[in-house]
Amino acid sequence: MASYRNGRGPAKVDRVQPASSANLRASSSFKSKSSNVRRSGSGVGVRDSDDSVSGRVRVAVRLRPQNAEEMVADADFADCVELQPEFKRLKLRKNNWDSDTYEFDEVLTESASQKRVYEVVAKPVVESVLDGYNGTVMAYGQTGTGKTFTLGRLGDEDTSARGIMVRAMEDILSNISRDSDSVMISYLQLYMETIQDLLNPINDNISIVEDPKTGDVSVPAATLVDIRTHHDFMELLRLGEAHRVAANTKLNTESSRSHAILMVHVKRSVTDMESEIPSDNYHSLHMSKSSKPPIIRKGKLVVVDLAGSERVHKSGSEGHTLEEAKSINLSLSALGKCINALAENSPHVPVRDSKLTRLLKDSFGGTARTSLIVTVGPSPRHRAETASTILFGQRAMKVENMLKIKEEFDYKSMCKRLETQIDKLIAENERQQKAFEDEIERTAIEAQQRISEAEINYTEALEREKMKCQMDYMESIKKLEEKWMNNHSKHGTNGFINGNHGGEGSDHANEDVRELKIKLQKEMTLRKQAEEEIQHLKNSQLHPTEAGVNADVIKLQSLLDEETRQKQKLEEEVLLLQSRLSQLAFGSGQPRNSQLDNQSNGERTSIANLHEHVGLQKILSLLESEDPNVRLHAVKVVANLAAEDTNQERIVEAGGLTSLLALLRSRSFDETICRIAAGAIANLAMNEANQELIMAQDGISLLAMTAADAEDPQTLRMVAGAIANLCGNDKLQTRLRSEGGIKALLGMVRSRHPDVLSQVARGVANFAKCESRTSSKGNKNNRSLLIEDGALPWIVQNANNEASIIRRHIELALCHLAQHEVNAKDMVSGGALWELVRISRDCSREDIRALARRTLTSSQTFSSELRRLRVEI
Ligand code: ADP
Ligand code: MG
């Protein structure tokens, strides 16, 4: 009777992690029956135990065909093993009539191809390894039953003979990415509890290291070779095999007494989108902040070709001492004990008893997917060994593992990638920074160039403009000089600064005067006639009748009275017209000089006659008249008289100057009277003695007061003319200034009338001239009073005034001011230096040019300033 020795049986084969490597999926008869793997994705590093699934150790049995020796030796005996692959059963003959039946996960007959063996035994494990699980494929059986044939055949001559190692590596290599994944192998031999490195034989005592936290075992000292191609692997397998043979020769043993362990470390990056680090641009760097680090899966495939199982029972049989034999088989017996303990769910599993069990800790009772292939021979002579092998396999089928994916977040590669990105960004940033700085520098240079260009252009334009102005200026000077010459020759000697006075107005007035004179002449003739007639009548009184005579006398008397009235009226009219004439004369030109032109000689004579007729005293007294009209006429007459040198002395003697000044003092300000009075004063102020008198009588204050009140430019012109005359007196300078003369003068520039400005400029020039005269005599060591009173800005501003007369006065004033070193500093800071330079170059008058040049070169301050500015004179 067949009995089922496997108590738990296939019913328990459940909950095995599904294989997910697409290419490998179809072929497995070890395929999972459920797919309840949970992937929480939480946590860091290796996933926690919640993710594990149970996976029983799968066991297949393989029967080796009879070999030549057995064919002969066992010819008369029946095989001890009978397979029922359709039921996955193996029958082990006990005797001729009885056998035990065992059920396996797979039953592989003697004719089973290597390919089929690989697919049913190893392929599901390889798939799991590619998915990130540990996996073990192990062959157990008596020596000579085909363990190495099953696992280690290279298939050099016949590719169909390739064993599990070769085929597993082919599958692994074809399923990984050469760029992101890696396959590393080590190949070890365990003999008498010593681990040797088959890839580097010098390494002959490798120790096992156990991670204290996870309990994972590893052999860090073993050589790890990176496998890129299948060829690499084949070479290594050959090398390992050669070393195994050499090592065994050296140890005087056989390969069947040692365990061969191939370890394949497969590291794969999970290329799922959410864990991918995006490309290296800046934007994606930000994006990647939120993404998780990439996941790597580290599966380890362990292929174990165990030592022959017969040793356990036949120790010492081949010349070794018992101890040696124990040691040789220690690992194998320890493995049996562990599997028994696991199969029986014993609380203690003696994993630590041997190196093999330590190395296979994860394969049995651990987290790996494990497939065991037990190999048996058909010979009844080895029945006991076969039975023991089958029992080992049966027990192993009861071992439950908890499959656990070995998945890690790949912080290292993420760090590396991020570092690369950061370095790239740093480099890029540095490049941009440099480019930015270069750009700024370039812009600055460009701006500087533009500024320089603009400066050059500006200087050139200025130079051109200056030249043009100079030309215009010379042209107009020429014209004016020509005009002046014309006027001069037309009117004879003209003492007025502006020779253009007189004009139509006065011609017209002269006409009127002539007419009136004729009328007067006529009246005088008539009067004479009337007087003669009266005389005649007086003479004839002796004879006429009383009544007739009386009537005639009365008639004549009234006639005479009428005539007298007429005469008086005419005289007044003459006076009025004369005043108008003088007013017109003032209104058209500069204050009058003491000389009158020839044209008006006739009028002057008649006015002289007139004042002789009326009396100077009488006219002056009229200046104080209550009647403003009378005052006006009187002042006009006095002004006219003052225009002549010859009258001036008499006017002053008769108190005219005092009266004129009194008019300025008058509270009821009448601008016309003030204008005419100021004109008269200006004329009187031509005389040095009069200048002192004017000053003595508070004239400066009065003129200043008038200047402040006046609005009419002509009034201002008269006042300015008067002050300008006073400015030319050396002795009066300090007083003139202290009484506000300069301030008054400068105050009048508010009227922009050129006539006023011209008088102011003349005053300034006069003053400066006196100052320079005084200082050259060593009398004055202080700064110019003009500068003190703030005249410099106006001077500088008008130094290039378009009116040549103003310009000329100011040029002179500047030259005079510059004579005195004490003024130089102010002049430099006030911009007067430039004007002097201009004068020294451009002034049309040679003497002034020369004066300016001299001044500039002789002053230390100017010279050094010009040197500093690199200006040459
Ligand atoms: P083990 O490694 O278990 O000691 P081997 O793999 O060395 O056994 O096999 C012993 C002999 O049996 C070898 O000559 C091998 O070619 C042969 N052999 C083993 N299994 C088979 C098989 N399934 N088919 C044909 N020959 C086999
Ligand atoms: Mg072998």
Side-chain angles (χ1 to χ4, degrees):
M1 285 286 291
S3 63
Y4 285 92
R5 294 290 183 85
N6 186 342
R8 298 169 84 176
K12 285 218 68 176
V13 182
D14 246 340
R15 295 169 63 82
V16 176
Q17 166 64 21
S20 65
S21 296
N23 293 354
L24 304 177
R25 200 168 288 212
S27 57
S28 175
S29 61
F30 268 27
K31 241 182 275 175
S32 61
K33 292 176 182 170
S34 66
S35 57
N36 56 351
V37 176
R38 281 167 293 140
R39 294 192 181 183
S40 68
S42 66
V44 176
V46 178
R47 297 200 176 205
D48 62 34
S49 58
D50 287 345
D51 287 336
S52 56
V53 289
S54 67
R56 183 175 57 73
V57 172
R58 316 287 292 180
V59 181
V61 62
R62 187 181 194 184
L63 176 65
R64 174 177 54 74
Q66 256 188 342
N67 57 28
E69 186 214 333
E70 284 167 342
M71 279 181 191
V72 178
D74 299 334
D76 298 333
F77 303 96
D79 288 350
C80 73
V81 172
E82 186 194 331
L83 301 181
Q84 293 179 318
E86 65 277 20
F87 300 117
K88 297 188 176 176
R89 284 180 193 157
L90 177 147
K91 282 187 170 182
L92 180 66
R93 205 181 298 277
K94 282 161 88 178
N95 44 48
N96 280 340
W97 59 92
D98 196 10
S99 61
D100 288 329
T101 302
Y102 300 94
E103 202 164 281
F104 284 92
D105 291 308
E106 283 298 333
V107 170
L108 299 160
T109 64
E110 61 269 42
S111 63
S113 69
Q114 290 282 72
K115 184 173 194 281
R116 209 171 99 72
V117 173
Y118 170 72
E119 282 176 354
V120 299
V121 175
K123 193 159 185 169
V125 179
V126 170
E127 286 169 349
S128 290
V129 169
L130 286 165
D131 283 344
Y133 295 87
N134 286 344
T136 311
V137 177
M138 191 169 81
Y140 181 95
Q142 191 186 356
T143 299
T145 51
K147 298 186 294 295
T148 306
F149 183 88
T150 302
L151 296 179
R153 279 291 286 262
L154 299 182
D156 284 336
E157 305 88 28
D158 177 8
T159 47
S160 71
R162 288 168 295 157
I164 283 173
M165 285 179 184
V166 176
R167 287 173 196 268
M169 190 54 72
E170 280 172 353
D171 265 353
I172 289 169
L173 288 174
S174 65
N175 275 280
I176 60 153
S177 153
R178 295 276 156 91
D179 303 326
S180 56
D181 305 341
S182 75
V183 181
M184 312 279 278
I185 68 157
S186 46
Y187 198 13
L188 310 170
Q189 172 171 267
L190 175 62
Y191 178 66
M192 284 183 73
E193 292 308 284
T194 306
I195 300 173
Q196 297 151 2
D197 192 342
L198 289 179
L199 300 180
N200 181 16
I202 302 162
N203 218 359
D204 60 2
N205 192 9
I206 294 171
S207 46
I208 299 168
V209 175
E210 213 164 314
D211 186 319
K213 274 187 198 159
T214 61
D216 287 349
V217 291
S218 60
V219 278
T223 305
L224 260 181
V225 178
D226 192 357
I227 299 295
R228 292 270 141 196
T229 64
H230 191 64
H231 177 76
D232 293 348
F233 178 66
M234 296 299 279
E235 287 303 305
L236 275 173
L237 274 190
R238 279 192 198 100
L239 181 73
E241 203 47 49
H243 287 150
R244 197 178 179 194
V245 171
N248 291 336
T249 310
K250 197 172 146 195
L251 293 166
N252 192 24
T253 181
E254 293 169 24
S255 66
S256 62
R257 292 179 198 160
S258 66
H259 312 282
I261 303 158
L262 176 75
M263 288 179 173
V264 184
H265 301 266
V266 180
K267 195 154 100 181
R268 300 184 78 194
S269 293
V270 179
T271 53
D272 97 46
M273 288 306 285
E274 61 157 22
S275 57
E276 270 292 80
I277 294 278
S279 63
D280 54 3
N281 65 44
Y282 183 75
H283 177 67
S284 55
L285 179 74
H286 281 269
M287 299 263 301
S288 72
K289 273 184 181 171
S290 57
S291 68
K292 289 178 195 162
I295 290 170
I296 49 166
R297 289 181 180 161
K298 290 176 174 175
K300 184 172 77 175
L301 175 67
V302 182
V303 183
V304 189
D305 185 355
L306 290 171
S309 57
E310 73 284 354
R311 301 285 166 202
V312 181
H313 310 288
K314 295 181 179 176
S315 55
S317 63
E318 290 184 18
H320 287 281
T321 64
L322 186 62
E323 283 311 303
E324 275 172 334
K326 269 186 187 169
S327 180
I328 289 166
N329 294 298
L330 177 70
S331 281
L332 208 51
S333 56
L335 179 65
K337 282 179 199 158
C338 283
I339 286 180
N340 282 344
L342 286 164
E344 286 155 19
N345 273 330
S346 160
H348 177 65
V349 182
V351 173
R352 302 192 66 82
D353 283 4
S354 77
K355 289 202 170 156
L356 181 67
T357 47
R358 284 175 73 196
L359 281 174
L360 295 177
K361 190 183 164 202
D362 199 41
S363 307
F364 293 93
T367 64
R369 163 165 289 190
T370 299
S371 266
L372 172 69
I373 182 160
V374 293
T375 53
V376 292
S379 172
R381 288 176 288 138
H382 298 299
R383 193 191 163 279
E385 299 297 343
T386 305
S388 138
T389 301
I390 286 167
L391 283 175
F392 180 87
Q394 287 292 300
R395 281 195 293 273
M397 279 179 79
K398 293 179 185 171
V399 177
E400 286 280 353
N401 286 355
M402 294 302 287
L403 305 194
K404 208 164 146 189
I405 198 160
K406 308 291 183 196
E407 202 170 66
E408 284 176 17
F409 291 123
D410 189 1
Y411 291 117
K412 211 170 140 190
S413 92
M414 186 181 69
C415 271
K416 216 167 132 189
R417 223 180 283 190
L418 288 177
E419 259 173 25
T420 315
Q421 277 182 349
I422 288 169
D423 285 344
K424 270 186 189 167
L425 288 175
I426 287 172
E428 181 57 29
N429 184 33
E430 202 180 2
R431 267 196 295 279
Q432 281 180 4
Q433 179 76 22
K434 182 77 181 76
F436 179 68
E437 280 168 10
D438 289 352
E439 180 66 19
I440 284 180
E441 202 181 310
R442 199 182 58 73
T443 313
I445 291 168
E446 217 174 87
Q448 196 52 51
Q449 276 169 355
R450 279 194 202 157
I451 288 170
S452 311
E453 264 170 40
E455 272 174 2
I456 291 166
N457 288 345
Y458 174 75
T459 315
E460 281 172 5
L462 199 71
E463 207 54 47
R464 277 199 300 278
E465 196 58 29
K466 235 163 129 183
M467 285 295 288
K468 195 170 157 267
C469 285
Q470 207 171 328
M471 296 295 287
D472 290 353
Y473 163 76
M474 283 176 38
E475 197 59 35
S476 51
I477 285 287
K478 221 164 101 188
K479 272 188 194 154
L480 280 169
E481 274 169 357
E482 274 169 14
K483 216 163 161 188
W484 188 83
M485 287 298 286
N486 282 344
N487 280 341
H488 196 72
S489 56
K490 215 189 265 174
H491 304 305
T493 315
N494 190 341
F496 288 91
I497 298 165
N498 182 348
N500 208 16
H501 74 96
E504 276 177 38
S506 79
D507 284 352
H508 187 70
N510 291 341
E511 201 67 28
D512 286 354
V513 169
R514 263 195 297 282
E515 222 168 81
L516 279 167
K517 273 194 275 181
I518 292 162
K519 270 187 183 174
L520 186 66
Q521 208 66 44
K522 234 162 111 186
E523 286 304 318
M524 282 164 81
T525 323
L526 279 172
R527 184 179 166 172
K528 211 173 169 186
Q529 278 175 0
E531 276 172 358
E532 276 170 10
E533 211 166 324
I534 288 166
Q535 197 57 47
H536 173 74
L537 283 171
K538 274 180 183 171
N539 293 342
S540 62
Q541 257 180 353
L542 299 169
H543 311 290
T545 58
E546 276 301 318
V549 168
N550 284 346
D552 279 347
V553 166
I554 289 162
K555 197 180 162 191
L556 280 170
Q557 193 62 49
S558 67
L559 208 70
L560 189 65
D561 288 348
E562 180 58 26
E563 286 299 322
T564 314
R565 266 202 306 278
Q566 281 284 339
K567 185 194 163 197
Q568 223 170 351
K569 208 171 148 194
L570 282 168
E571 270 175 1
E572 273 176 19
E573 223 171 315
V574 167
L575 207 63
L576 202 81
L577 281 166
Q578 197 61 54
S579 313
R580 242 177 78 194
L581 179 67
S582 86
Q583 194 181 336
L584 281 164
F586 275 111
S588 60
Q590 297 286 5
R592 298 195 84 149
N593 196 302
S594 55
Q595 289 169 301
L596 280 174
D597 56 26
N598 291 343
Q599 204 183 21
S600 52
N601 271 349
E603 280 71 45
R604 267 186 275 121
T605 320
S606 59
I607 287 166
N609 290 341
L610 183 73
H611 96 254
E612 266 161 29
H613 197 80
V614 181
L616 182 62
Q617 209 60 53
K618 173 79 178 158
I619 292 170
L620 289 176
S621 71
L622 286 176
L623 287 176
E624 284 149 39
S625 161
E626 292 286 306
D627 185 346
N629 255 336
V630 175
R631 272 208 313 272
L632 178 66
H633 291 310
V635 79
K636 281 176 182 172
V637 174
V638 175
N640 249 317
L641 291 172
E644 261 187 89
D645 289 352
T646 46
N647 298 332
Q648 286 180 353
E649 205 181 324
R650 275 200 293 147
I651 291 170
V652 174
E653 268 171 21
L657 182 57
T658 314
S659 304
L660 286 167
L661 287 169
L663 284 178
L664 297 186
R665 194 179 281 123
S666 154
R667 272 200 202 155
S668 54
F669 181 75
D670 180 329
E671 189 159 347
T672 314
I673 292 176
C674 283
R675 180 175 65 238
I676 300 166
I681 294 166
N683 274 333
L684 295 175
M686 301 289 293
N687 176 298
E688 204 180 311
N690 291 348
Q691 287 166 357
E692 281 166 31
L693 271 176
I694 291 168
M695 293 294 280
Q697 291 181 44
D698 214 8
I700 285 295
S701 317
L702 292 169
L703 286 166
M705 208 168 71
T706 313
D709 293 340
E711 278 164 17
D712 183 351
Q714 292 312 323
T715 313
L716 294 171
R717 182 173 70 103
M718 297 302 170
V719 176
I723 298 178
N725 285 342
L726 296 169
C727 281
N729 190 323
D730 295 352
K731 290 179 243 165
L732 304 177
Q733 292 226 288
T734 321
R735 186 157 174 201
L736 183 131
R737 186 252 178 164
S738 67
E739 286 179 14
I742 296 169
K743 289 252 161 84
L745 205 57
L746 292 170
M748 283 182 279
V749 303
R750 69 177 188 274
S751 153
R752 295 168 184 224
H753 199 286
D755 289 348
V756 182
L757 298 186
S758 147
Q759 291 306 322
V760 174
R762 187 165 70 84
V764 166
N766 279 348
F767 200 94
K769 189 178 172 186
C770 289
E771 275 191 332
S772 86
R773 260 206 306 262
T774 321
S775 72
S776 68
K777 284 181 204 155
N779 294 343
K780 190 171 178 291
N781 286 311
N782 295 329
R783 199 157 70 133
S784 162
L785 296 175
L786 283 171
I787 295 175
E788 291 282 338
D789 275 6
L792 198 57
W794 183 80
I795 292 175
V796 171
Q797 202 182 321
N798 287 275
N800 206 7
N801 194 297
E802 57 191 5
S804 63
I805 186 74
I806 299 173
R807 201 164 62 235
R808 188 59 31 83
H809 286 313
I810 291 182
E811 281 169 356
L812 283 168
L814 278 168
C815 288
H816 289 309
L817 284 173
Q819 300 289 310
H820 199 31
E821 189 69 17
V822 79
N823 295 331
K825 225 171 124 188
D826 289 284
M827 293 186 76
V828 169
S829 64
L833 176 60
W834 286 117
E835 297 306 329
L836 279 167
V837 171
R838 184 188 59 73
I839 295 163
S840 75
R841 286 177 181 170
D842 303 344
C843 184
S844 61
R845 267 177 56 179
E846 170 59 35
D847 55 339
I848 298 179
R849 271 206 315 273
L851 179 63
R853 248 198 313 279
R854 260 203 319 279
T855 311
L856 286 172
T857 44
S858 62
S859 158
Q860 221 175 3
T861 313
F862 290 149
S863 310
S864 68
E865 179 68 8
L866 290 173
R867 260 201 309 283
R868 189 178 74 77
L869 297 167
R870 296 201 177 79
V871 175
E872 281 184 21
I873 297 303

